[in-house]
Amino acid sequence: MFNTRHTLVALVEDKPGVLNRVASLFRRRDFNIESLAVGRSEQLGLSRMTVVVGGDSAKVEQVRKQLDKLINVVKVTDITGEDIVTRELALIKVKATASTRSEIIQIVDIFRANIVDVASDSLTVEVTGDEDKVNSLLELLRGFGIKEVSRTGRIALTRGAI
Amino acid sequence: MKKTGAQILCESLIREGVEVIFGILGGAVLPIYDTFPQYPQLRHILVRHEQGAAHAADGYARAVHKAGVCIATSGPGATNLVTGIANAYMDSSPMVAITGQVARPFIGKDAFQEADITGITLPITKHNYLVAGAAELAKTIKEAFHIAQTGRPGPVLIDIPRDVQEEKAEFVYPDKVDLPGYKFVSKGHSVQIKRAVKLLKEAARPVIIAGRGIIISQAYDELKELAEKAQIPVINTLLGIGAFPGDHVLNFGMLGMHGLAYANLAVQNADVVIAIGMRFDDRATANTKDFAPQASIIHIDIDPAEIGKNVPIDIPIVGDVKSVLKAMNKEIESRNHLDWLSQLEQWRSEHPSLEIRQNDGLLPQYVIRQISEATRGDAIIVTGVGQNQMWAAQHYIYTKPNSLISSGGLGTMGFELPAAIGAKVGRPEETVWCVAGDGGFQMTIQELATIAQENIAIKIAIINNGYLGMVRQWQELFYQHRYVDTKLWNPDFVQIAEAYDIPGVRVKHREEVIPAIQKAMDYPGPFLIDFIVEPEENVYPMVQPGESLSQILELPKPEVPSKY
Ligand SMILES: Cc1ncc(C[n+]2csc(CCOP(=O)(O)OP(=O)(O)O)c2C)c(N)n1
Ligand SMILES: [Mg+2]
């Protein structure tokens, strides 16, 4: 019954209002959604949603069952503790001057991230990885002055065969 | 041939076997109402408030085991349905609510009488729809009825923009639904059933807790077979009343906050609890930390989300109650639990929770008992919420399946009158008594006009204690008698009834009770009795909030036990 972070993956119908139904259910059952990412899945008309929430296992299992009852939710699994691949993408606009630019580029290289935009006083970095990697890079860039950050939130799949 | 959206709606409702619709008109449903005359097989009952339409549809649904239908216009009409929809949702009552919406080009423009009713009802419907075009309508209605009436039933709302009602489309009623995300398990898992049977075989002190799921699944015979074969005493929840005959030797009554002392004691001392079609509501379990502390719990329910939600379960069986009980009954062995049953009988005599004390005044318990006698426990009782509800649950002996209709989960005052209308419309051959609180009655009192207009022959018993009685009881017990704003100034209910062309009498004394009830029963139409009862009578037994089912307050002890 520990308070841990859970990753729920839901296959949902791609219809208006579905995101609202899912989000509303978390709110009603007193959950704070840490991140939510949604996009088309491999099946026509179905989207895959990855939701990260904190809570004890019994509570999360309760909300999972409630989600499963939503008519537009085809399937929902709590993949926490399973062998999974998780990724997040972040765009980071960091201040850059003539003197700091090369140092930033070095850091970005170490993280195998990319520079996707260069301006006279800033660089925009694109990074993919698990949250830890994104957090570490952000931490390192903080010293240069971060202007804007946009993160997608976690997406996840279980490894290997289903 | 192409038909208008309104015609498609009516045709589809007929295909779903709908006979009655409760509603009120308004701008956004005018095209629908305008087509009603083309479909005389659809009876529309004009109510006086949309809340009444929803409760009537709910009462109808509970009485006839199929979806009740209500209809309201956009905006205020739709929002007035909300309480009734929430009520149906909490008690798993099948309902299809149809609302008009502003025409499609106006949606999102804050148009006149626009309300986002699908957004508003999101957490209180099993599902809802905003219909995008007439071509989608037939499929939507098919799905709505399927969802409302199968699995764990519940309300479904269909919001239909006004221009969709007028738009023409080809009408083909689908014979199948395609809902990949909708599933429910009917058959219980055989391994779990075997485990349950084994546990019951070893049980020395088993009890059944029967909930509304048995009524929804109409598993009366299966429950009886299980109880009789294995000689297991049956306790029921409030909404489980009518799942098992009230006069059966194995019936030990309702558990919970106002449950009978011996029912609560049975649960607290049981070694196996088999909970069937119930959801461990806090009013039934009291403090869950000390609920059935010695028992292993078997839980049978069609909704997997109910398993382990409030109380840890030892053997969960997800499935339709009827199918699961059938499977269990095949394997269950005959047993007797003579010691346990005689222990329960002993508690019953030591704790005569149904004894009505001798009193010069008019006691509400006595009134209910007399209605029970006069109808031989054979009527459908529809209650309000509060003390009247608890007395009706305790003191009426329900001998017939599915004979109590009450707002359990939401506890909606004002449910009684419109729900009784719905029940009577659904089962016109039955005697329907509406047991109303003087407070709750005034929340939907305008439906007297519906009763008069449609000549709906229900019998109304107002338990008039001059108080918001249940709240007053809490003020007496937990707020040191400070009766803040619970005293009611009441109108003359008999005169009110008369103004609606409904005859009535006032009863103030014990000896007038039986003749008044007889008069009501003999009268061929609706009738009202205003019972002026002891104003400060309390409901006992009582388990105080936060305490366990074992801590039963039985005061006041009967002074002189009367015949009843
Ligand atoms: C719509 C609504 N409002 C408020 C309450 C809170 N409440 C519960 S019981 C009760 C008193 C009911 O009074 P009455 O209808 O006279 O019934 P009595 O308890 O006196 O039998 C109240 C106000 C409620 N259950 N429903
Ligand atoms: Mg009252």
Side-chain angles (χ1 to χ4, degrees), chain B residues 141-430:
Chain B
I141 295 162
K142 176 82 188 172
E143 287 180 7
F145 276 86
H146 179 71
I147 292 167
Q149 299 180 131
T150 57
R152 178 178 179 174
V156 177
L157 180 135
I158 309 175
D159 199 22
I160 313 176
R162 199 197 137 110
D163 58 332
V164 171
Q165 300 164 26
E166 286 164 342
E167 188 182 32
K168 286 197 167 173
E170 211 59 59
F171 175 64
V172 193
Y173 202 61
D175 44 40
K176 278 202 286 292
V177 292
D178 175 27
L179 292 165
Y182 181 59
K183 59 244 145 190
F184 55 89
V185 180
S186 294
K187 257 185 83 192
H189 198 286
S190 61
V191 174
Q192 296 297 74
I193 291 176
K194 285 215 162 58
R195 283 182 65 208
V197 167
K198 179 156 178 284
L199 186 63
L200 281 175
K201 195 173 153 191
E202 290 155 5
R205 302 183 311 282
V207 300
I208 289 169
I209 303 179
R212 185 168 135 72
I214 292 159
I215 295 170
I216 293 172
S217 145
Q218 302 188 64
Y220 317 110
D221 294 343
E222 290 76 9
L223 173 65
K224 209 162 149 213
E225 186 182 336
L226 173 67
E228 287 176 351
K229 207 162 163 191
Q231 286 293 299
I232 307 174
V234 179
I235 311 291
N236 53 262
T237 64
L238 172 67
L239 295 190
I241 289 176
F244 191 71
D247 53 359
H248 195 287
V249 283
L250 289 170
N251 188 316
F252 288 87
M254 180 172 80
L255 87 166
M257 177 175 271
H258 291 296
L260 310 181
Y262 40 90
N264 287 347
L265 287 171
V267 171
Q268 293 303 85
N269 289 282
D271 64 349
V272 173
V273 163
I274 162 160
I276 311 177
M278 56 85 76
R279 58 183 180 85
F280 298 92
D281 177 85
D282 55 81
R283 286 295 189 267
T285 61
N287 192 332
T288 48
K289 291 207 172 61
D290 189 40
F291 173 76
Q294 308 170 35
S296 300
I297 303 182
I298 303 165
H299 187 194
I300 307 173
D301 203 283
I302 198 158
D303 182 356
E306 286 304 338
I307 308 284
K309 186 181 77 179
N310 295 340
V311 165
I313 300 302
D314 298 280
I315 304 182
I317 307 177
V318 175
D320 174 46
V321 164
K322 193 179 182 100
S323 147
V324 172
L325 289 185
K326 267 206 170 97
M328 277 181 79
N329 286 341
K330 275 195 202 126
E331 302 188 30
I332 214 99
E333 287 168 29
S334 287
R335 291 289 310 271
N336 63 57
H337 297 286
L338 294 176
D339 290 351
W340 175 230
L341 287 169
S342 67
Q343 171 67 71
L344 261 68
E345 285 302 345
Q346 191 184 329
W347 281 328
R348 187 168 3 214
S349 59
E350 287 168 5
H351 304 270
S353 301
L354 290 182
E355 210 156 71
I356 300 171
R357 66 181 204 288
Q358 211 45 282
N359 186 294
D360 289 338
L362 180 54
L363 291 180
Q365 300 92 325
Y366 175 79
V367 170
I368 302 290
R369 191 60 64 85
Q370 290 314 319
I371 295 175
S372 185
E373 293 277 316
T375 56
R376 292 192 204 82
D378 202 37
I380 295 179
I381 304 297
V382 186
T383 78
V385 166
Q387 293 184 315
N388 64 86
Q389 178 182 35
M390 291 300 116
W391 287 317
Q394 293 174 338
H395 291 277
Y396 192 94
I397 312 295
Y398 298 83
T399 55
K400 204 153 68 183
N402 190 23
S403 47
L404 171 73
I405 293 179
S406 193
S407 167
L410 199 65
T412 312
M413 286 169 73
F415 174 73
E416 55 266 59
L417 195 60
I421 293 174
K424 182 70 184 172
V425 168
R427 285 163 74 182
E429 72 291 352
E430 304 284 351

Side-chain angles (χ1 to χ4, degrees), chain B residues 2-22:
Chain B
K2 287 200 168 184
K3 292 183 190 296
T4 65
Q7 287 172 321
I8 292 173
L9 171 68
C10 293
E11 300 260 353
S12 305
L13 292 178
I14 290 165
R15 295 236 186 351
E16 287 299 329
V18 173
E19 290 162 8
V20 191
I21 303 168
F22 302 91

Side-chain angles (χ1 to χ4, degrees), chain B residues 51 83 384-389 391 410-414 416 436-443 463-472 486 488:
Chain B
Q51 183 185 349
T83 301
V385 166
Q387 293 184 315
N388 64 86
Q389 178 182 35
W391 287 317
L410 199 65
T412 312
M413 286 169 73
E416 55 266 59
D438 49 335
F441 187 62
Q442 293 181 74
M443 288 198 177
I463 305 299
N464 189 345
N465 50 14
Y467 279 108
L468 298 168
M470 186 57 93
V471 181
R472 183 209 54 75
T486 39
L488 295 171

